[in-house]
Amino acid sequence: MLSLIIAESSLELVPRELQSHISIKSHAKKLGKYPSEILLDNSWHFAAMKGLENEIKRGRPDIVHLCLLAATSIPLYHENEIEIYVHTVDNKVIILGDNVRLPKSYHRFAGIIEKLFKDKVIKTDDSVLMELKKMTFDELIEMIEPKSVIALSPDGMPSNYQSVGKELDDSCLIVGGFQKGAFSDEITQHIDRTYSIGEQSFEAHVVISRILYEYEKTIFM
Amino acid sequence: MLSLIIAESSLELVPRELQSHISIKSHAKKLGKYPSEILLDNSWHFAAMKGLENEIKRGRPDIVHLCLLAATSIPLYHENEIEIYVHTVDNKVIILGDNVRLPKSYHRFAGIIEKLFKDKVIKTDDSVLMELKKMTFDELIEMIEPKSVIALSPDGMPSNYQSVGKELDDSCLIVGGFQKGAFSDEITQHIDRTYSIGEQSFEAHVVISRILYEYEKTIFM
């Protein structure tokens, strides 16, 4: 079984120190929620986020949405051949259940994630769709116990999706859930091999689409 | 050169007959716009849309957003090896310029498209990013003059992305920009070959990601 970790994802609720900022208060009001209940989102909260610690890896829930849609709309996930985790920049982990149909509409996705951050679990009558745990990357890797940990990052060894796809059985694949920057040391110390695809830096959702497609070919064809 | 048409896309401004519906008026107010200026969106306007003509192909701008991100975040587009058109269910066509970086954040995307519907063009000082024309699918095909027109649809001949990718040179690829249903006759009469991939019906953004990736391999490798 392949595990996918979208690591250090820029997904969190508005942190306490920004909750009284005017741009955040007015955005929360529009949504009919308290500032503490809404996702930090650079596209609305840019002014408030200026100078925030580790700013480059924060406030991009849209990236996580696109990554999760890329990973869950495919046969690999429908056939339960992949486990999906979102590790966040402030060390929380979303464990995704089987056969979850995430909304393509962003505001609905945000609503679910905000509910998850509040309630720690989203479930139906007979299954758990998502769970949120306070968990470091260390602890997550310890829980998964993969055969090997393989990361995709622009600073890795040059390769291509097809070759990397063939190496993934029983591995844990790491893709960064942030816009820019490199993995922190806490992540890199667990990585066995890092590969780079192409010369440009790609959007995380494109990397996930392509690598999972190539892996899917190795197991379904 | 490959052309991609996202056909009969569920993208339009709120039509006149729905502009006075309470759910639409209150949503427009929240956005600080008139009902006539906002995109029809099933996830907000579900109540208003009940019983609307051709409902199944309307009010899903999120699908178009995901399709365009899948098609524009890749080397094929960055290297100007593909032309991208969004044909809408009410016969408008968005012609996408070169090297356009669409926002991943949905509300920013919606803002740009709403501006495009109003102004008919989005440009910077030295280039046209997007143009909107009143144009039928017939007229669009006539303008593109492709060598052949190839569609992906669940009712086509069984094939796979790799094989279809090898057929695409100088062709026009058609993917439906709607949630459910089949192409209308106006579209099918122009199609030379229709292929189906897999047994399930896939999300349009997944189909676009995979087929463009396979086509990209044939020209860059």
Side-chain angles (χ1 to χ4, degrees), chain B residues 14-123:
Chain B
V14 169
R16 191 180 301 263
E17 67 263 36
L18 300 188
Q19 287 171 13
S20 56
H21 193 282
I22 179 77
S23 76
I24 287 180
K25 275 162 74 178
S26 79
H27 184 222
K29 200 176 163 192
K30 250 191 206 170
L31 297 170
K33 297 190 175 185
Y34 293 109
S36 60
E37 295 175 325
I38 65 170
L39 293 177
L40 184 66
D41 185 336
N42 174 64
S43 76
W44 292 105
H45 312 145
F46 184 72
M49 284 180 65
K50 258 195 163 170
L52 189 65
E53 192 197 338
N54 202 10
E55 188 184 342
I56 212 165
K57 283 185 185 163
R58 299 176 73 178
R60 291 300 304 269
D62 54 318
I63 292 180
V64 178
H65 183 221
L66 294 173
C67 288
L68 283 176
L69 287 177
T72 58
S73 312
I74 60 175
L76 194 68
Y77 177 68
H78 299 149
E79 306 286 337
N80 300 325
E81 296 285 352
I82 181 171
E83 281 174 352
I84 299 171
Y85 305 91
V86 179
H87 165 259
T88 74
V89 70
D90 62 344
N91 285 318
K92 297 194 171 84
V93 170
I94 298 174
I95 303 172
L96 203 70
D98 295 336
N99 292 307
V100 178
R101 289 178 62 87
L102 291 168
K104 283 190 279 293
S105 176
Y106 173 74
H107 75 94
R108 291 203 166 164
F109 171 77
I112 288 174
I113 299 297
E114 285 161 356
K115 189 172 183 321
L116 176 66
F117 274 103
K118 194 174 162 206
D119 299 342
K120 316 301 177 210
V121 66
I122 307 281
K123 50 185 171 181

Side-chain angles (χ1 to χ4, degrees), chain A residues 43 104 107 213-214 217, chain B residues 43 107 203 213-214 217:
Chain A
S43 75
K104 283 190 280 292
H107 76 93
Y213 169 58
E214 287 291 2
K217 281 198 217 173
Chain B
S43 76
H107 75 94
E203 307 287 354
Y213 168 58
E214 288 290 4
K217 281 198 217 171

Side-chain angles (χ1 to χ4, degrees), chain A residues 137 149-152 174 183 187-194:
Chain A
F137 189 80
V149 178
I150 296 174
L152 294 174
I174 315 288
F183 290 120
I187 311 291
T188 49
Q189 65 177 328
H190 289 283
I191 296 173
D192 298 310
R193 298 187 293 288
T194 304

Side-chain angles (χ1 to χ4, degrees), chain B residues 96-159:
Chain B
L96 203 70
D98 295 336
N99 292 307
V100 178
R101 289 178 62 87
L102 291 168
K104 283 190 279 293
S105 176
Y106 173 74
H107 75 94
R108 291 203 166 164
F109 171 77
I112 288 174
I113 299 297
E114 285 161 356
K115 189 172 183 321
L116 176 66
F117 274 103
K118 194 174 162 206
D119 299 342
K120 316 301 177 210
V121 66
I122 307 281
K123 50 185 171 181
T124 60
D125 287 348
D126 53 3
S127 67
V128 171
L129 302 182
M130 286 182 224
E131 240 181 312
L132 182 78
K133 302 207 180 215
K134 185 82 196 137
M135 196 186 267
T136 63
F137 189 81
D138 283 20
E139 291 163 341
L140 177 57
I141 291 288
E142 206 167 290
M143 187 185 87
I144 298 172
E145 285 196 275
K147 202 182 68 183
S148 57
V149 178
I150 296 175
L152 293 175
S153 170
D155 55 4
M157 278 180 298
S159 187

